[in-house]
């Protein structure tokens, strides 16, 4: 055990002197800094121009101000002229324009009274029809829902309750506001976090997944350093069994500092949960990454082939692991990739047991003498 820590300290110092390792290590804070800079800027998946035909309509102006102030994946921009808003869509400077007509409130009331009319309350002008714009229109329905709900309530009270009796607008509003709900009917909640704004965090959402791939890249790089040292004759006086065991020390030395940097970055970016939970799944992830790379080292015996396979491994994890999207295709391949367990374990404790089982199977496999079984595979490689 003393030799392990001795080799660990020496290798860690050596890694800090290697430019390639330092480059990967520096990528972690730089990547987080870039994401933080982008997330603070005006950005969105859509750009929509808002316009009120009647600039003196207080209700419409108040509605537009609420839209502008709310954090969203949609970037809103105000325009004082409907034709300019349409021109922005025509010239590809905006994806859509929402134009609130001059008789907005009257047309909403007409709709609430179930009268047939062709007069719109809002004109939606779009460059093209796609799924994102359809979802944006659903958001628009949610924005005008309070106005429609009050108009329906007012019409119902006048026709079904009062039956012609007179009542002031203030009294109607007072009764309506008694049942007004300020909170959201639906909210997103993480297991270890308070409810968060899913729309606001869409830019930082892939952060953990990308950082987990950088850790895996460090684990793969440790194998390349082991190859390099072996070719330089550093292990000539060492037994082959000890040489193979030293690879575990290489993995430990290469993974601890990046893991610490990732944990700090996640907390700085407010993307981490409970500290003990984060440390637990990170430790299991490091073990899985190390064992995964040791197994690959047993299969691929030459540094050139292993180095050529690294882009393939990284691309496979980027596509199959839930970094941007969660897919159920090729599940038999996904369960072989350590990031798949780590990224799912963040929100599903059941995957922690999967990480433990993965580590046990990988360790037992690496302990088996595979020289005879791997001969045919090595010849092909």
């Amino acid at each position: 055990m003393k030799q392990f820590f001795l080799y660990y300290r020496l290798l860690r110092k050596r890694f800090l002197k290697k430019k390639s390792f330092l480059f990967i290590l520096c990528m972690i804070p730089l990547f987080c800094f870039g994401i933080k800079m982008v997330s603070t800027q005006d950005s969105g998946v859509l750009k929509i121009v808002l316009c009120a035909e009647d600039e003196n309509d207080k209700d419409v102006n108040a509605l537009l101000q609420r839209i502008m102030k709310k954090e969203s994946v949609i970037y809103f921009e105000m325009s004082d002229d409907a034709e300019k808003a349409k021109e922005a869509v025509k010239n590809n400077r905006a994806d859509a324009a929402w134009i609130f007509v001059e008789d907005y409130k009257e047309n909403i009331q007409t709709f609430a009274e179930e009268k047939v009319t062709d007069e719109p309350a809002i004109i939606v002008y779009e460059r093209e029809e796609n799924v994102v714009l359809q979802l944006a229109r659903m958001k628009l329905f949610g924005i005008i829902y309070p106005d429609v709900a009050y108009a329906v309530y007012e019409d119902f009270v006048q026709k079904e309750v009062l039956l012609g009796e007179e009542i002031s607008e203030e009294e109607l509003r007072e009764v309506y506001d008694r049942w007004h709900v300020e909170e959201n009917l639906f909210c997103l909640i993480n297991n270890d976090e308070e409810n968060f704004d899913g729309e606001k965090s869409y830019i930082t959402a892939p952060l953990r997944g990308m950082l987990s791939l950088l850790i895996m890249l460090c684990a793969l790089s440790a194998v390349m350093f082991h190859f390099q040292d072996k070719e330089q004759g550093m292990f000539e006086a060492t037994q082959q069994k000890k040489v193979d065991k030293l690879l575990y020390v290489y993995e430990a030395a290469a993974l601890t500092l990046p893991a610490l940097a990732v944990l700090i970055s996640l907390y700085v970016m407010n993307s981490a949960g409970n500290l003990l939970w984060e440390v637990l799944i990170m430790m299991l992830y490091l073990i899985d990454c190390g064992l995964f790379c040791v197994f690959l080292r047993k299969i691929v015996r030459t540094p050139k082939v292993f180095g050529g396979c690294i882009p393939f491994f990284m691309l496979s994890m980027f596509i199959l692991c839930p970094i941007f999207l969660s897919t159920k295709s090729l599940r038999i391949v996904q369960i072989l990739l350590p990031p798949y367990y780590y990224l799912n374990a963040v929100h599903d404790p059941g995957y922690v047991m999967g990480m433990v089982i993965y580590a046990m199977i990988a360790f037992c496999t690496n302990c088996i003498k595979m020289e005879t079984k791997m001969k045919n595979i090595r010849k092909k490689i």
Side-chain angles (χ1 to χ4, degrees), residues 336-356:
L336 300 176
L337 308 175
Y340 171 77
Y341 295 93
Y342 170 69
L343 296 176
N344 281 299
V346 174
H347 305 298
D348 188 350
Y351 281 89
V352 172
M353 183 55 65
M355 297 174 79
V356 175

Side-chain angles (χ1 to χ4, degrees), residues 218-277:
C218 290
L220 293 169
S221 301
V223 178
M224 293 300 297
F225 293 145
H226 186 269
F227 269 124
Q228 183 181 2
D229 290 345
K230 189 174 182 180
E231 286 187 342
Q232 292 176 353
M234 294 184 63
F235 305 135
E236 288 183 354
T238 309
Q239 294 180 358
Q240 183 59 39
K241 289 183 179 180
K242 290 185 177 180
V243 173
D244 293 337
K245 290 180 179 179
L246 277 175
L247 182 54
Y248 291 99
V249 187
Y250 274 72
E251 292 293 337
L255 290 174
T256 48
L257 288 178
L260 181 62
V262 166
L263 284 175
I264 295 173
S265 299
L266 289 174
Y267 275 96
V268 170
M269 296 291 293
N270 294 322
S271 298
N274 181 270
L275 177 60
L276 294 178
W277 183 254

Side-chain angles (χ1 to χ4, degrees), residues 167-331:
I167 187 173
S168 66
E169 178 72 21
E170 290 76 13
E171 289 178 293
L172 275 173
R173 176 62 69 176
E174 181 183 355
V175 175
Y176 180 80
D177 288 340
R178 291 177 190 173
W179 305 99
H180 181 64
V181 179
E182 290 288 348
E183 296 80 10
N184 293 326
L185 294 177
F186 303 96
C187 62
L188 299 173
I189 297 178
N190 279 344
N191 289 342
D192 300 317
E193 298 178 16
E194 298 178 354
N195 33 326
F196 64 98
D197 189 347
E199 291 186 283
K200 185 178 179 181
S201 61
Y202 82 102
I203 292 178
T204 59
L207 176 65
R208 185 187 293 270
M210 299 301 293
L211 293 179
S212 69
L213 291 187
L214 287 177
I215 291 178
M216 176 57 71
L217 183 59
C218 290
L220 293 169
S221 301
V223 178
M224 293 300 297
F225 293 145
H226 186 269
F227 269 124
Q228 183 181 2
D229 290 345
K230 189 174 182 180
E231 286 187 342
Q232 292 176 353
M234 294 184 63
F235 305 135
E236 288 183 354
T238 309
Q239 294 180 358
Q240 183 59 39
K241 289 183 179 180
K242 290 185 177 180
V243 173
D244 293 337
K245 290 180 179 179
L246 277 175
L247 182 54
Y248 291 99
V249 187
Y250 274 72
E251 292 293 337
L255 290 174
T256 48
L257 288 178
L260 181 62
V262 166
L263 284 175
I264 295 173
S265 299
L266 289 174
Y267 275 96
V268 170
M269 296 291 293
N270 294 322
S271 298
N274 181 270
L275 177 60
L276 294 178
W277 183 254
E278 291 287 349
V279 172
L280 172 64
I281 60 176
M282 178 59 74
M283 289 177 63
L284 290 173
Y285 179 58
L286 297 184
I287 294 172
D288 288 351
C289 287
L291 294 172
F292 174 79
C293 293
V294 171
F295 176 77
L296 293 179
R297 171 67 175 81
K298 286 181 176 291
I299 299 176
V300 184
R301 306 294 290 185
T302 59
K304 289 184 179 179
V305 176
F306 191 90
C309 291
I310 288 179
F312 171 76
F313 293 142
M314 297 300 296
L315 183 61
S316 300
M317 295 175 194
F318 182 82
I319 296 173
L320 296 176
C321 295
I323 297 174
F324 290 95
L325 295 173
S326 180
T327 175
K328 294 183 179 179
S329 60
L330 297 175
R331 181 59 61 87

Side-chain angles (χ1 to χ4, degrees), residues 23-123:
F23 175 75
I24 298 174
L25 197 60
C26 291
M27 282 178 63
I28 296 173
L30 289 175
F31 179 75
C32 293
F33 178 75
I35 289 289
K36 195 171 185 66
M37 289 291 293
V38 172
S39 64
T40 56
Q41 296 175 358
D42 292 331
S43 59
V45 296
L46 283 177
K47 181 178 180 180
I48 295 179
V49 180
L50 303 175
C51 178
E53 289 186 344
D54 184 4
E55 296 180 359
N56 298 320
D57 191 326
K58 295 181 180 179
D59 294 329
V60 172
N61 287 331
L63 181 62
L64 295 181
Q65 289 301 320
R66 287 202 304 270
I67 297 174
M68 292 294 294
K69 289 179 181 179
K70 187 174 181 181
E71 295 285 353
S72 173
V73 297
I74 302 174
Y75 176 67
F76 291 104
E77 185 179 275
M78 292 289 292
S79 175
D80 56 358
D81 184 69
E83 291 303 320
K84 288 182 180 179
K86 292 180 181 180
E87 197 68 27
V89 178
K90 287 181 181 179
N91 295 335
N92 204 22
R93 296 197 306 271
D95 297 288
W98 294 350
I99 302 171
F100 292 75
V101 301
E102 188 173 355
D103 299 324
Y104 167 78
K105 195 170 183 178
E106 289 77 5
N107 293 343
I108 288 287
Q109 190 65 44
T110 302
F111 171 79
E113 294 173 358
E114 298 183 353
K115 294 180 180 178
V116 179
T117 178
D118 294 331
E119 295 298 324
I122 301 172
I123 298 174

